Amino acid sequence: MGDYMAEPITGYSELKEHASNPESERYIPSCMEMYIMSLQKSLCDELATIEGKEFTVDRWIRPTEADGSLGGGGITCIVQDGQVFEKAGVNISVVHGTLSKQAIQQMKSRGKELFGESVPFTAMGISSVIHPINPFIPTIHFNYRYFEIPGENKQWWFGGGTDLTPTYLNRDDAKHFHTTLKTACDGHDKDYYPKFKKWCDEYFYIKHRGESRGLGGIFFDDLDYVSAESALSFLKSCGNSVAPAYIPLVKQHINEPYSDEEVQWRQLRRGRYVEFNLVYDRGTKFGLYTENARIESILMSLPLTARWEYMNKPGPRENELLEVLKKPVEWCSE
């Protein structure tokens, strides 16, 4: 499959048929699946060129029950122990099933109206976390997804976001990153960037530490108040902005020298990353609550290594980052 990293989870001819017919009930999910497949391919190609090493491709199929209540699968693409990236993963998943009781409760807490104890769903998305080796190259995370509850009371929504988690503060990096995301948002609605930046700042917050996970970006969920076509178009703009927002930062810092002390600080910051993902992240929780979930793919976001050091005393350069993490910055206004 030259256009994709592997054969689509849904048959390629079936996808093309529905994606070319706006009247089809599967038009939006088929367009979404084809898009995340192509985005995965383009990003993996760029990262592999930088790394000088091809991604390992793992196409997996979810166990299917006899009544069809579970099914689907995904494609996990990953590089580990590289020269540039300690761990870089770009995943897609296309699954369907029945929501667990925990997932139903989680969605109801967000104001979703779900009827009955057995709630079917279809979900698909792309997610990526890139943990570089060089402490001066920031970690990036992005996730874009479509969720649908079919049937008489059909519901659908889009969600996702992109955010940056550096080890050391570089204001120019932050401005470039946020400006690129703002440009993608402004092409659809001038209110999107300030609204979704604020949401990102509030979401990626480690309450027990009193600090943000990183320098933020954009984050949104439950996007269902515009047409599905408009929402998908916006999501594509966000997805297409990931490479131009991030790849220049990798190339700028790839050969920057660093010390063992700076690596140790990187490890401590990765510990904070792990804390957020395991304690607060909704996507991680939803995955772990889902029956027959693929744990390897869900926990792909975690770094290979991290560190928790008792009573660490950061130096002046490290404190510069910590001060910014205590209060969000309007990077596009600096």
Side-chain angles (χ1 to χ4, degrees):
M1 297 298 298
D3 295 335
Y4 304 139
M5 296 299 288
E7 186 77 21
I9 301 304
T10 304
Y12 187 61
S13 59
E14 184 179 349
L15 276 179
K16 288 187 68 176
E17 177 186 350
H18 290 287
S20 62
N21 179 14
E23 301 302 318
S24 169
E25 285 194 5
R26 295 179 57 187
Y27 174 66
I28 292 297
S30 296
C31 289
M32 176 67 173
E33 185 174 349
M34 292 183 74
Y35 172 67
I36 60 178
M37 292 284 294
S38 63
L39 181 59
Q40 180 188 49
K41 170 67 173 173
S42 63
L43 187 59
C44 285
D45 286 349
E46 287 206 57
L47 296 173
T49 298
I50 293 171
E51 181 57 65
K53 177 181 178 181
E54 294 300 315
F55 276 71
T56 297
V57 179
D58 178 19
R59 185 180 186 274
W60 51 274
I61 298 298
R62 191 166 178 238
T64 303
E65 297 294 319
D67 62 0
S69 60
L70 295 173
I75 301 168
T76 298
C77 299
I78 194 159
V79 165
Q80 296 184 131
D81 289 321
Q83 297 299 310
V84 179
F85 305 114
E86 181 187 78
K87 188 179 184 184
V90 187
N91 292 353
I92 68 156
S93 63
V94 180
V95 299
H96 61 266
T98 303
L99 291 176
S100 67
K101 291 182 179 179
Q102 296 98 322
I104 291 174
Q105 290 173 352
Q106 186 187 62
M107 289 187 179
K108 284 185 175 179
S109 71
R110 287 162 43 208
K112 296 297 181 185
E113 293 188 18
L114 305 179
F115 303 96
E117 296 184 359
S118 180
V119 180
F121 76 92
T122 295
M124 61 189 67
I126 181 169
S127 62
S128 175
V129 178
I130 300 168
H131 293 293
I133 293 173
N134 192 313
F136 298 109
I137 304 175
T139 285
I140 190 176
H141 155 260
F142 79 88
N143 169 279
Y144 291 103
R145 58 194 177 274
Y146 172 76
F147 199 94
E148 182 177 295
I149 297 175
E152 184 178 352
N153 299 304
K154 180 179 177 180
Q155 299 182 60
W156 60 265
W157 60 88
F158 289 87
T162 308
D163 63 281
L164 198 69
T165 307
T167 298
Y168 286 94
L169 179 63
N170 184 304
R171 292 183 177 274
D172 289 337
D173 287 357
K175 291 176 186 177
H176 167 81
F177 184 80
H178 276 267
T179 300
T180 306
L181 298 186
K182 182 178 184 299
T183 299
C185 291
D186 286 353
H188 295 265
D189 190 319
K190 296 288 186 180
D191 292 332
Y192 276 175
Y193 173 76
K195 178 180 178 181
F196 297 154
K197 179 197 181 295
K198 183 175 184 292
W199 200 341
C200 185
D201 290 333
E202 293 173 350
Y203 180 78
F204 290 103
Y205 185 72
I206 309 173
K207 296 177 183 177
H208 61 271
R209 295 288 189 180
E211 65 184 41
S212 297
R213 187 178 77 176
L215 301 184
I218 57 172
F219 176 83
F220 62 93
D221 208 352
D222 303 327
L223 182 58
D224 61 359
Y225 45 85
V226 296
S227 70
E229 290 81 1
S230 295
L232 178 57
S233 177
F234 170 63
L235 182 141
K236 288 181 177 181
S237 294
C238 294
N240 293 342
S241 72
V242 170
Y246 183 64
I247 297 300
L249 308 186
V250 177
K251 293 180 177 179
Q252 180 178 344
H253 300 296
I254 193 170
N255 294 317
E256 198 163 334
Y258 55 88
S259 66
D260 290 341
E261 290 77 13
E262 288 159 343
V263 170
Q264 291 303 307
W265 179 243
R266 182 200 69 189
Q267 296 301 88
L268 289 170
R269 296 313 307 166
R270 286 186 176 169
R272 297 286 205 272
Y273 202 95
V274 172
E275 288 176 26
F276 177 86
N277 279 32
L278 295 183
V279 176
Y280 298 113
D281 187 71
R282 275 208 319 246
T284 301
K285 288 183 177 180
F286 178 82
L288 295 176
Y289 289 159
T290 301
E291 188 177 353
N292 288 333
R294 194 167 191 273
I295 305 302
E296 288 292 326
S297 295
I298 295 168
L299 299 183
M300 180 276 298
S301 63
L302 302 184
L304 282 184
T305 58
R307 183 179 176 90
W308 288 265
E309 184 178 307
Y310 185 73
M311 297 296 287
N312 174 264
K313 297 187 181 302
R317 291 181 65 218
E318 290 74 20
N319 267 318
E320 187 180 10
L321 175 68
L322 294 180
E323 287 301 313
V324 168
L325 297 182
K326 292 177 183 177
K327 186 177 181 181
V329 174
E330 297 300 324
W331 295 106
C332 293
S333 302
E334 280 220 325

